[in-house]
Amino acid sequence: MDVIILQLFNGFSISSILLLIALGLSITFGLMKVINMAHGELIMIGAYTAYVVQNLFADYMPASMFGWYFALAIPVSFAVAFVFGLVLEMGLIRFLYGRPLDSLLATWGVGLMLQQLARSIFGAPNVGVKSPAWLDGGMTVGDNVFPYKRLFIIGLVLVCLLVMYLYIYRSHPGRRMRAVMQNREMAACLGISTRRVDATTFAIGSGIAGIAGCALTLIGPIGPTIGTYYIVDAFMVVVLGGVGKLVGTVFGALGIGLSNTLFEYWTTASLGKVLVFLCIVAFLQWKPSGFVAMRSRSLDN
Amino acid sequence: MPIRKLSAQRLWLLAAYTAAAALLFCAPLMLSDFRLNLLAKFLAYAIVALGLDLIWGYTGILSLGHGVFFGLGGYAMAMYLKMDASGGKLPDFMDWSGLTKLPWFWKPFESLPFAIAAGILLPALLALILGFFTFRNRIRGVYFTILTQALVIITTTLFIGQQAYTGGTNGLTGYSKLFGFSLGSPETKRWLYWVTVALLIGAFLLCRFLVKSRFGKVLRAIRDGENRARFIGYNPAIYQMVAFSFSAGLAGLAGMLFVLHVGIISPSMMGIVPSIEMVLWVAIGGRGTLAGAVIGAVLLNYAKSTFSESYPNIWILFMGALFVVVVVFLPKGAAGLFGQFKWLRRRKAADEGADGVRYPAV
């Protein structure tokens, strides 16, 4: 029984990480139909930002303050990735709306360049980020120990989810965003600057990737290719969950995260991945456009 | 087919193709053994590019999974070579991993004809199965592309994980003979080169035939308007499945040739990065033109082997920039550039199949 609980917890932990990464994608891919393969590199940027913030704290702040660097690293990671996303959108993505496959290839190229850039700035080997002392240890429930870091990530995801929900569904900019994504021409006619909405939307998606990168520093060392490790899984989350609604992404992340852990527990790591893939393909037989599908009478969308 | 009058343009085209083929066949006279081997490898890549062009340039389906099909072909050939090299004993890496008996699925690879058939049919079958479960449900566009990329990830993880059966990260290597001829000798290399050229030309002609045929017209119709094609009465799923499977078979063939030239196949050669590089070859050369795909594959790999060894860092930056530039500025690739010049000279060319290619907003 304890083993099952522990596996379930691991599953939720992996799901939360996937969800954090996929949340950004669900905006850029789900709402804007742009395949941003550089999303993984935006994660990497967030992770390295956390690393830099940590180093600055270690150098310039009293040692007693060091533990709080992480609280600052999260918003800073968001901001840095946000700016990168903004630049990316204005410089490249906006030429590629309506051509998702082309956006995939071009952003892959951008990702390659960013990886190389990180390699020349921070070096090819992985660097470690020392997690703050207040996240060490874990919560003991019965015989199980749940590490605080994992719990913190789950909490962080829930906060991000809530903030995104409020932003998209309960705020004026969010309403404009939805309007533009649903019917661009009509939104433009009503006086919404679609260019600006596009840029902000993409930048927000990128910023969340930055937060995800920041969270990843809690789990292990970070390197220039940290993003590629997660990116395909994160895209699968969006495909499985369906696009256009947050609940789909949550479902996709839970589905992939939990089934991954359980299958890997029952079989081996490599066979587990195969089984998860087969399950996804099987699920798509039943619901080809993912768990939640935006209903539309249009044939080609 | 009625005998068509050869227009001047067709004549030029024919002359150019003949000259290119002749040049390829005579290359051993001009190149050192090392260069010849490189060229042979590039030509094997060109076969993948042909298949990829058929599915992407003509059918509008982007596959980021061709590394897997290429790898499966490579593994099929490598398994035969490994069995041959072990001479009835257990292949060395199985010994190291503690296997005592040959796994059942290795057994048939003792025979070369089976290995060759498997090298083409296995990838084709895998593609057919994946296509069956996706195209039939109208899972297409980016969704399909992401699924193919996931296929790459799970296949490489599987191959690395099942070390005892696949050789793990190291892949399959350590074989040197085909029919008792040493794979390393210049003589054999030359023959293998000619075989590759012949197969490339064969593949090119086959693709050209397919593209010019009614089948190819339907493929383009699906690319430009899948629903319209469906309403006319074609079942796009069948065409997509066949094209995808054929394209995977070509990749498998190329993988087999690759193993013969290079002498190793490992999961890193079928991963995400090589798979997407294959797409870049086609993008650079020009999707929707077969010759463009071949030229793109050879040129890009030539550039890579020239630059990447001396300046690996700059090469990665360059390749990244290339992706961006090609997609934003040259959606038709190098062949598109060439086509533009021709178009300036001769407007009539536009109604010739390959030049009139339109790209859908997929």
Side-chain angles (χ1 to χ4, degrees):
Chain A
M1 190 57 206
D2 278 352
V3 181
I4 299 287
I5 291 179
L6 204 62
Q7 291 302 330
L8 275 178
F9 177 73
N10 282 341
F12 277 114
S13 171
I14 292 180
S15 307
S16 65
I17 294 164
L18 278 178
L19 181 56
L20 199 51
I21 295 170
L23 272 182
L25 282 183
S26 75
I27 293 186
T28 53
F29 175 42
L31 289 177
M32 306 180 74
K33 304 285 181 291
V34 168
I35 308 259
N36 182 14
M37 287 308 257
H39 196 77
E41 279 59 48
L42 291 166
I43 292 170
M44 172 206 58
I45 288 171
Y48 273 112
T49 308
Y51 172 69
V52 170
V53 171
Q54 170 213 250
N55 286 355
L56 289 178
F57 261 67
D59 289 350
Y60 298 107
M61 296 292 263
S64 56
M65 291 287 288
F66 178 76
W68 294 104
Y69 86 88
F70 200 74
L72 182 68
I74 294 177
V76 174
S77 295
F78 178 85
V80 173
F82 184 93
V83 171
F84 263 90
L86 204 61
V87 172
L88 188 61
E89 201 277 344
M90 304 224 262
L92 176 67
I93 303 290
R94 65 171 168 144
F95 302 111
L96 299 173
Y97 287 123
R99 293 156 65 190
L101 290 180
D102 283 348
S103 74
L104 186 158
L105 293 177
T107 50
W108 174 269
V110 173
L112 273 184
M113 290 193 277
L114 287 176
Q115 274 180 26
Q116 192 53 39
L117 208 63
R119 229 173 261 134
S120 37
I121 297 175
F122 297 100
N126 287 352
V127 295
V129 177
K130 198 173 172 305
S131 44
W134 47 274
L135 283 176
D136 287 340
M139 194 169 71
T140 316
V141 177
D143 291 339
N144 297 307
V145 179
F146 300 135
Y148 285 132
K149 287 179 193 169
R150 301 270 175 177
L151 289 171
F152 177 78
I153 293 178
I154 294 179
L156 183 67
V157 174
L158 291 178
V159 172
C160 285
L161 206 58
L162 184 70
V163 171
M164 269 184 67
Y165 172 79
L166 292 177
Y167 179 80
I168 296 179
Y169 295 103
R170 290 282 181 272
S171 80
H172 288 290
R175 187 186 301 155
R176 280 198 286 276
M177 185 205 275
R178 277 182 295 141
V180 171
M181 301 316 156
Q182 280 171 19
N183 193 332
R184 184 169 293 273
E185 288 80 13
M186 192 55 79
C189 289
L190 294 174
I192 297 173
S193 163
T194 57
R195 278 291 314 127
R196 196 181 300 160
V197 169
D198 283 339
T200 0
T201 310
F202 191 83
I204 290 175
S206 308
I208 296 170
I211 296 184
C214 194
L216 284 181
T217 61
L218 291 178
I219 299 176
I222 52 173
T225 54
I226 188 172
T228 36
Y229 183 76
Y230 292 99
I231 188 74
V232 179
D233 272 351
F235 269 114
M236 293 299 275
V237 166
V238 181
V239 170
L240 182 67
V243 296
K245 283 214 173 119
L246 283 179
V247 57
T249 316
V250 175
F251 171 84
L254 281 176
I256 291 185
L258 284 175
S259 57
N260 221 335
T261 326
L262 293 179
F263 282 134
E264 284 186 14
Y265 172 62
W266 284 324
T267 61
T268 62
S270 55
L271 270 181
K273 273 206 176 308
V274 177
L275 288 174
V276 172
F277 179 72
L278 292 181
C279 286
I280 292 172
V281 173
F283 182 83
L284 290 178
Q285 301 306 301
W286 175 46
K287 279 184 179 291
S289 45
F291 182 66
V292 292
M294 296 289 265
R295 283 181 187 281
S296 157
R297 282 168 184 266
S298 152
L299 199 56
D300 290 301
N301 59 1
Chain B
M1 193 190 282
I3 299 164
R4 270 179 289 178
K5 216 179 129 208
L6 285 176
S7 68
Q9 199 194 355
R10 291 181 67 86
L11 214 58
W12 274 114
L13 208 61
L14 200 65
Y17 281 142
T18 320
L23 206 63
L24 281 180
F25 269 111
C26 299
L29 304 174
M30 296 175 272
L31 294 175
S32 69
D33 289 333
F34 173 72
R35 297 245 161 229
L36 188 70
N37 191 27
L38 274 184
L39 182 61
K41 188 172 86 176
F42 302 161
L43 294 181
Y45 284 148
I47 298 182
V48 187
L50 276 178
L52 210 49
D53 196 17
L54 196 69
I55 187 82
W56 186 32
Y58 288 94
T59 323
I61 299 164
L62 178 58
S63 158
L64 294 179
H66 267 53
V68 167
F69 306 131
F70 179 82
L72 283 179
Y75 268 96
M77 180 50 92
M79 278 161 89
Y80 162 75
L81 292 171
K82 194 78 193 167
M83 295 280 278
D84 201 38
S86 317
K89 286 205 290 283
L90 211 56
D92 46 13
F93 69 90
M94 290 187 186
D95 226 12
W96 304 331
S97 315
L99 279 194
T100 48
K101 237 178 84 225
L102 196 66
W104 58 268
F105 60 88
W106 269 73
K107 200 106 198 139
F109 283 91
E110 274 173 347
S111 98
L112 182 59
F114 179 86
I116 292 179
I120 297 173
L121 294 180
L122 270 184
L125 187 69
L126 180 64
L128 198 65
I129 294 172
L130 185 65
F132 178 78
F133 285 112
T134 48
F135 297 136
R136 214 171 38 108
N137 284 309
R138 306 188 193 176
I139 297 171
R140 56 184 180 235
V142 289
Y143 295 92
F144 179 78
T145 306
I146 292 169
L147 282 178
T148 56
Q149 200 162 41
L151 177 74
V152 173
I153 292 221
I154 59 154
T155 318
T156 44
T157 334
L158 192 66
F159 271 64
I160 292 173
Q162 306 295 315
Q163 179 143 12
Y165 305 107
T166 60
T169 323
N170 302 327
L172 297 177
T173 184
Y175 29 78
S176 53
K177 281 192 164 47
L178 178 68
F179 303 127
F181 294 107
S182 165
L183 280 175
S185 83
E187 188 71 9
T188 323
K189 283 206 177 297
R190 214 162 299 153
W191 275 107
L192 283 174
Y193 170 80
W194 276 320
V195 169
T196 308
V197 172
L199 285 173
L200 174 63
I201 293 176
F204 183 86
L205 292 176
L206 189 60
C207 286
R208 202 177 149 76
F209 168 75
L210 279 180
V211 165
K212 297 273 171 197
S213 69
R214 191 188 166 83
F215 178 77
K217 279 209 183 81
V218 180
L219 291 188
R220 266 169 287 162
I222 291 170
R223 178 193 69 191
D224 294 340
E226 186 174 329
N227 282 319
R228 293 186 194 183
R230 181 174 284 122
F231 297 154
I232 299 172
Y234 292 102
N235 183 354
I238 304 249
Y239 285 86
Q240 287 166 324
M241 273 157 60
V242 170
F244 187 48
S245 168
F246 179 78
S247 157
L250 279 183
L253 173 70
M256 285 197 281
L257 292 168
F258 174 85
V259 165
L260 291 174
H261 296 311
V262 181
I264 181 171
I265 183 85
S266 77
S268 67
M269 293 161 193
M270 52 201 279
I272 295 241
V273 178
S275 299
I276 202 161
E277 257 178 55
M278 292 171 182
V279 171
L280 185 60
W281 305 337
V282 180
I284 293 254
R287 45 190 132 147
T289 52
L290 294 172
V294 173
I295 294 169
V298 174
L299 271 191
L300 200 69
N301 280 297
Y302 175 74
K304 185 180 180 183
S305 73
T306 318
F307 295 120
S308 69
E309 272 125 41
S310 19
Y311 314 100
N313 295 343
I314 296 182
W315 170 254
I316 294 184
L317 277 180
F318 174 73
M319 209 168 73
L322 210 56
F323 268 107
V324 177
V325 169
V326 166
V327 166
V328 177
F329 299 106
L330 287 175
K332 289 184 182 180
L337 266 185
F338 180 67
Q340 273 175 2
F341 292 134
K342 231 167 45 176
W343 183 78
L344 287 175
R345 263 203 349 254
R346 182 199 304 262
R347 280 161 190 253
K348 228 180 81 184
D351 55 23
E352 280 284 320
D355 293 317
V357 173
R358 247 191 58 222
Y359 293 98
V362 259

